[in-house]
Amino acid sequence: MTERGRGRYNQADSAGRRVFSAAGQRGENERSGAGLSGALIPPPEKAVVPRQNGLMKLTAPRSLNREEWLNYLHASGQPDDALRAQMEKAERMLLESVRPRGIYRVLPLAKIPLKGFSVRKHLEGCDQAAILAVTAGSEIDALIRRWQTAGMAMAVLLDTGSSVLAGQIADSAEAVLRAEIGERFPGRFFTPRFSPGYGDYPLSCQLDILTLVDAPRKIGLTLTAGEMMVPHKSITALIGLADHPVSGRLATCTECVLREKCTYYRTGGHC
């Protein structure tokens, strides 16, 4: 699964563009009282002992973003009472089943295989990148499979809702990551996250990301021969780091290798 990068901005550069700062506002789900350790490689002029394993202790959100969920369902306006009740039921099952796990590692860009124009342009001006991998857990996959037999309508709600859930887990993990790095290296700036599947950044790079953070062993996140992540509701991404303001660059529709298959693109919209 890939998802469109989102972020919270809290500083502006000299041109007035909003940029990420390590000292900025932390996400609403950040930490939640849980500890965190990240395997960091500092900028060349700084030398610290890296964290031991890079694992994050993440908590599930209290609720799902309904507006985004409805977008996944291609539903316009407010849901009727019947759909609202079904969404509430699906939400309860998802929040009971989710087992969020995450890991990250920071490396010099030279140590990370970068393929395609889009990701290189996004990381322009950065000297490092944080490699992030998160998953909602295999229990979510099992829940969806059960309902594919018991009732496809609910299975669709669970599938789309769990995609929203994975995105919210990634948001929370990104907030924790930025806070952790910001505490250890004040003055570092961040791009939004950028995932394989954006623009011409190929899905085949998922393997590089999972290998670099040892995701199969650390959080049970693997890749099939068909380049599908297991558990399915998982997200990998790169987040650029620099010692000066950087804004990154999200891929345009014209660069995206999936544009001809994209419902949004065919109807004149974008994801």
Side-chain angles (χ1 to χ4, degrees):
M1 172 188 170
T2 60
E3 48 85 50
R4 175 63 61 185
R6 297 178 297 276
R8 300 173 182 85
Y9 298 83
N10 48 31
Q11 285 195 14
D13 64 8
S14 57
R17 295 173 298 185
R18 295 184 295 174
V19 298
F20 283 107
S21 168
Q25 178 182 0
R26 299 177 182 180
E28 61 180 351
N29 291 324
E30 178 196 337
R31 293 191 184 281
S32 301
L36 163 70
S37 60
L40 301 180
I41 294 181
E45 69 277 8
K46 299 179 181 179
V48 299
V49 177
R51 302 295 191 188
Q52 292 181 353
N53 56 20
L55 289 173
M56 296 176 170
K57 291 184 179 179
L58 302 173
T59 57
R62 295 181 179 179
S63 61
L64 300 188
N65 184 319
R66 293 297 178 89
E67 182 178 356
E68 188 169 352
W69 195 352
L70 289 169
N71 286 337
Y72 271 95
L73 292 168
H74 300 286
S76 58
Q78 293 298 314
D80 59 26
D81 291 342
L83 177 56
R84 185 179 297 108
Q86 289 296 93
M87 291 178 75
E88 290 174 354
K89 179 179 178 180
E91 181 180 59
R92 287 194 300 271
M93 289 191 288
L94 288 170
L95 295 180
E96 289 172 358
S97 300
V98 65
R99 301 292 185 272
R101 302 186 72 187
I103 190 169
Y104 78 90
R105 186 182 184 189
V106 176
L107 288 172
L109 287 187
K111 299 289 187 180
I112 304 172
L114 300 175
K115 300 176 183 178
F117 168 82
S118 299
V119 68
R120 292 178 183 274
K121 194 68 177 177
H122 180 75
L123 297 174
E124 196 169 68
C126 298
D127 54 14
Q128 295 177 310
I131 306 166
L132 176 66
V134 300
T135 181
S138 59
E139 294 82 359
I140 295 292
D141 290 354
L143 175 66
I144 294 171
R145 285 195 300 269
R146 288 198 300 271
W147 278 96
Q148 285 172 340
T149 301
M152 277 303 300
M154 178 56 70
V156 169
L157 286 176
L158 291 169
D159 183 55
T160 52
S162 57
S163 294
V164 174
L165 177 59
Q168 290 180 234
I169 292 170
D171 286 343
S172 179
E174 182 181 349
V176 173
L177 177 157
R178 290 191 283 120
E180 170 83 359
I181 296 174
E183 289 173 0
R184 301 184 66 203
F185 306 114
R188 297 293 277 171
F189 292 82
F190 301 76
T191 69
R193 64 181 182 263
F194 199 98
S195 294
Y198 292 178
D200 62 352
Y201 186 28
L203 287 174
S204 60
C205 288
Q206 303 271 30
L207 180 60
D208 297 324
I209 291 178
L210 297 182
T211 300
L212 286 169
V213 296
D214 196 14
R217 189 168 66 90
K218 296 289 181 61
I219 62 173
L221 179 53
T222 62
L223 199 67
T224 69
E227 299 177 349
M228 291 289 293
M229 286 189 288
V230 179
H232 295 310
K233 300 305 179 178
S234 303
I235 290 171
T236 61
L238 300 180
I239 300 169
L241 281 75
D243 59 4
H244 55 83
V246 285
S247 57
R249 175 185 178 274
L250 293 181
T252 64
C253 292
T254 56
E255 297 167 11
C256 183
V257 295
L258 299 176
R259 64 182 179 275
E260 299 304 327
K261 300 178 182 179
C262 178
T263 302
Y264 294 113
Y265 183 75
R266 290 199 301 268
T267 57
H270 60 84
C271 63

